[in-house]
Amino acid sequence: MKTNPGDIFQRAKNIILNPKSEWTTIDNENNSHSHVLTNYLIWLALIPAICLIIGWSSDFGFGIKLAVKQFLTIIGGAYLTAWIINELAPRYNGVKNFNKAFELVAYCYTAICVAGIFYLLSILGILAFVAGLYSLYTLYVGLRPMMKAPEETNGLYFIVSLISMIGISILLGIFIKIVLI
């Protein structure tokens, strides 16, 4: 299936502006993790990567390292976090489905990837961090419809998923930084 920029833009806009109804739409789709990766997440992950290169054009080598680290952290982090969320699903009375877990995580990265535009001016990079907080909100909103955890266990499932997502991002970022230097 060919990637349509209009579809990517519309999905990103819907996830950011109206996540509750967009999660229902996403849940009704039956996309594989590879489809979501190649038709959505890779394209969004390129936004902060490219903007980091441009934003650090005065130190091109450093900008490239930051861009590669950011890109790999998003892609690798999505897979690792999806795997953990999927494995935890039965513990919180949810439904184990890796494709749904990957969709959940990949679409949660939307706000932080779009906010990657702020890396064009390195001083505005902190705003990408703020967008990351909104990405965590979209995780909260999407967890129940995507993983089918009942209301009584969904809060704890979210907290564990949140800690996993943050921890994986930090550890993966450190690992990639060590390997790239």
Side-chain angles (χ1 to χ4, degrees):
M1 178 180 221
K2 188 175 178 185
T3 302
N4 180 343
D7 292 343
I8 294 170
F9 176 78
Q10 190 61 45
R11 174 58 46 92
K13 178 180 153 192
N14 291 345
I15 281 287
I16 291 169
L17 298 179
N18 198 0
K20 289 181 182 179
S21 65
E22 192 64 14
W23 283 120
T24 303
T25 302
I26 294 167
D27 185 43
N28 290 324
E29 299 169 353
N30 289 311
N31 292 318
S32 68
H33 62 92
S34 60
H35 174 83
V36 174
L37 174 69
T38 58
N39 290 286
Y40 188 79
L41 187 58
I42 284 176
W43 298 100
L44 255 66
L46 286 172
I47 295 170
I50 291 168
C51 291
L52 279 164
I53 293 169
I54 295 168
W56 286 92
S57 61
S58 62
D59 186 348
F60 189 71
F62 184 69
I64 291 286
K65 284 182 181 181
L66 283 176
V68 169
K69 178 183 171 232
Q70 182 77 9
F71 185 81
L72 293 176
T73 300
I74 290 170
I75 303 300
Y79 271 101
L80 290 171
T81 304
W83 179 77
I84 288 173
I85 287 173
N86 187 54
E87 290 300 312
L88 289 171
R91 182 179 198 134
Y92 297 99
N93 301 316
V95 174
K96 198 171 175 182
N97 181 329
F98 182 77
N99 286 330
K100 292 294 183 188
F102 187 81
E103 283 182 302
L104 172 65
V105 177
Y107 293 130
C108 283
Y109 276 106
T110 299
I112 199 161
C113 286
V114 170
I117 195 84
F118 293 122
Y119 291 135
L120 286 171
L121 296 172
S122 57
I123 196 163
L124 297 178
I126 190 71
L127 295 176
F129 172 78
V130 173
L133 297 176
Y134 188 77
S135 289
L136 298 176
Y137 168 74
T138 59
L139 174 68
Y140 174 75
V141 172
L143 190 62
R144 188 156 186 240
M146 297 302 288
M147 302 310 292
K148 310 293 186 240
E151 188 69 41
E152 59 271 8
T153 60
N154 196 58
L156 187 54
Y157 190 16
F158 165 71
I159 292 168
V160 172
S161 298
L162 170 74
I163 292 168
S164 298
M165 185 178 239
I166 293 169
I168 286 170
S169 291
I170 291 169
L171 292 174
L172 195 56
I174 291 169
F175 175 76
I176 292 168
K177 183 178 181 180
I178 291 169
V179 170
L180 286 176
I181 292 177

